Amino acid sequence: MNTIKAIYPGTFDPMTNGHLDLIARGARIFDHLVVAVLKNMEKSPLFTVPERCAMLTAAVEHMPNVSIETFDGLLVDFVRSQQAQAILRGIRAISDYEYELQMALMNRRLAPELETVFMMPAEKFSYVSSRLVKEIFRLGGSVEGLVPELVLDKLKERGRE
Ligand code: PNS
C-alpha cells in the first residue's frame, strides 16, 4: 500500500495555534507528517532550536503520525532524505500566496517529483503570525489564545526582556 509522507517546514519561533491547527489538519490527510524546524536562519531567535523542538514535541504528543525533526540547507534535500513526497505549507490570506507560490515553484524546479500542498488554518488564526506574537509579547500585550498554553508558559518564563 502506498503511504504518503509530508514535511511541514518552518522556523516556528514560536509555534502558534495556527501552526498547531495546520499540523492537526495535515496529520488527518497524510500518513505521516514531519514538522521540520529550520536551523540557523534568524540571527537572534526568541527560542533556540532545541527549545522550539521541545515545545512542538509536547504539543503533538497526542498525534501518533507526527514527528519533529530539524534541518538545514535546502528544504528539497531534506524532503528527499526523508523519502517524503510532499511539502505542506499554510496559507492564511492572499498576502501569503505570492511568497508561497514563488517558493513552491522554485522547489518544484529543484525537485520536480515533489508536490507542495497548501492548507488553510481555521479563520480564527488567519491573522496570527510568530512575528506578531513576538512583537506583542515584547511590548507587553497579551498573546493568550494565539499560542498553545505551553508556549505561553515558556514566554512568561523567558520574560519580556
Ligand atoms: O514558515 P517560515 O518560517 O516562513 O519557513 C520558511 C522555510 C523554512 C520554509 C524556508 O525558508 C525554507 O525552506 N528554507 C530552507 C532553505 C531553502 O530551501 N530555500 C529555498 C526555498 S525555495
Side-chain angles (χ1 to χ4, degrees):
M1 202 181 79
N2 261 0
T3 58
I4 301 188
K5 184 174 182 179
I7 308 293
Y8 178 35
T11 41
F12 304 102
D13 186 36
M15 162 190 33
T16 67
N17 280 336
H19 290 133
L20 204 51
D21 179 88
L22 211 80
I23 293 170
R25 289 173 197 278
R28 285 202 292 269
I29 295 288
F30 299 108
D31 298 296
H32 192 89
L33 182 67
V34 177
V35 181
V37 181
L38 178 65
K39 293 194 264 186
N40 311 328
M41 192 166 137
E42 272 187 77
K43 284 196 179 73
S44 49
L46 177 62
F47 292 112
T48 64
V49 170
E51 282 174 324
R52 283 178 253 161
C53 288
M55 285 185 268
L56 281 161
T57 304
V60 304
E61 214 183 4
H62 59 291
M63 301 182 205
N65 62 335
V66 179
S67 56
I68 313 297
E69 298 283 347
T70 59
F71 78 105
D72 52 17
L74 279 180
L75 172 62
V76 290
D77 288 342
F78 175 74
V79 179
R80 281 173 167 163
S81 75
Q82 290 283 310
Q83 291 170 332
Q85 298 88 340
I87 297 166
L88 173 66
R89 290 288 290 171
I91 292 204
R92 292 163 298 190
I94 287 293
S95 49
D96 284 338
Y97 181 73
E98 213 166 321
Y99 169 63
E100 293 298 334
L101 178 71
Q102 191 182 16
M103 275 210 303
L105 294 179
M106 191 59 86
N107 283 331
R108 178 181 283 169
R109 181 192 161 94
L110 294 168
E113 79 281 13
L114 302 177
E115 287 299 332
T116 297
V117 176
F118 295 122
M119 294 182 86
M120 289 155 293
E123 310 84 282
K124 63 181 173 189
F125 302 129
S126 62
Y127 56 89
V128 180
S129 73
S130 298
R131 186 181 63 79
L132 283 182
V133 163
K134 275 189 279 201
E135 185 170 313
I136 290 161
F137 181 76
R138 192 165 43 81
L139 298 174
S142 169
V143 294
E144 239 175 285
L146 304 182
V147 296
E149 282 292 320
L150 63 109
V151 174
L152 202 57
D153 292 346
K154 203 84 172 120
L155 281 168
K156 285 178 184 160
E157 209 178 278
R158 175 62 46 94
R160 296 189 197 266
E161 286 167 4

